[in-house]
Amino acid sequence: MRPEEKDTPWEYKPLIRAAMRGIVPPASLTRQTKSGGICDLNVALRTNRADLLALWDDSRLGRLGLIDAAELRRRCTRPLDPNHPHDLHGGLYQSVACEVWLRTWEAAAAHLTAGATP
């Protein structure tokens, strides 16, 4: 698609709207903005709080000095700032992604090392 077909200052997401006509409710096609989603994110934070807090107990990123695990624990205990919903607690989302990736990488490396022959 050409870039000028993707966006226009007069219509919100014209290609998606055209493609979804007849598939989604018509009211969904009249939206002019994205939903902030902050309520969903706050529910997710509350629902997964114990797992998030446990993630920082023995943080690989913290051991490497790349994050302040205590600060991330603190951020996991409070709701998102409605004035800055996309901040996601100053990098919490990115920190979780990196921590999980690093733990997965470590587990895979340990698995390979354990299975290696001398």
Side-chain angles (χ1 to χ4, degrees), residues 69-99:
E71 176 61 19
L72 284 168
R73 284 182 61 79
R74 186 183 68 75
R75 290 175 188 218
C76 289
T77 62
R78 60 185 171 92
L80 292 171
D81 180 350
N83 296 317
H84 300 95
H86 300 294
D87 179 36
L88 286 177
H89 282 344
L92 178 61
Y93 180 81
Q94 295 86 348
S95 298
V96 168
C98 290
E99 181 73 27

Side-chain angles (χ1 to χ4, degrees), residues 3-53:
E4 61 271 15
E5 293 175 331
K6 182 180 174 194
D7 269 328
T8 170
W10 302 281
E11 189 178 6
Y12 185 72
K13 296 191 176 187
L15 286 179
I16 292 174
R17 289 176 57 188
M20 300 309 290
R21 198 165 284 118
I23 298 171
V24 300
S28 297
L29 300 175
T30 60
R31 266 187 29 205
Q32 296 299 310
T33 62
K34 287 184 178 182
S35 167
I38 191 156
C39 293
D40 295 336
L41 290 173
N42 278 322
V43 169
L45 278 171
R46 279 194 312 273
T47 302
N48 298 291
R49 181 164 288 137
D51 290 333
L52 287 168
L53 292 172

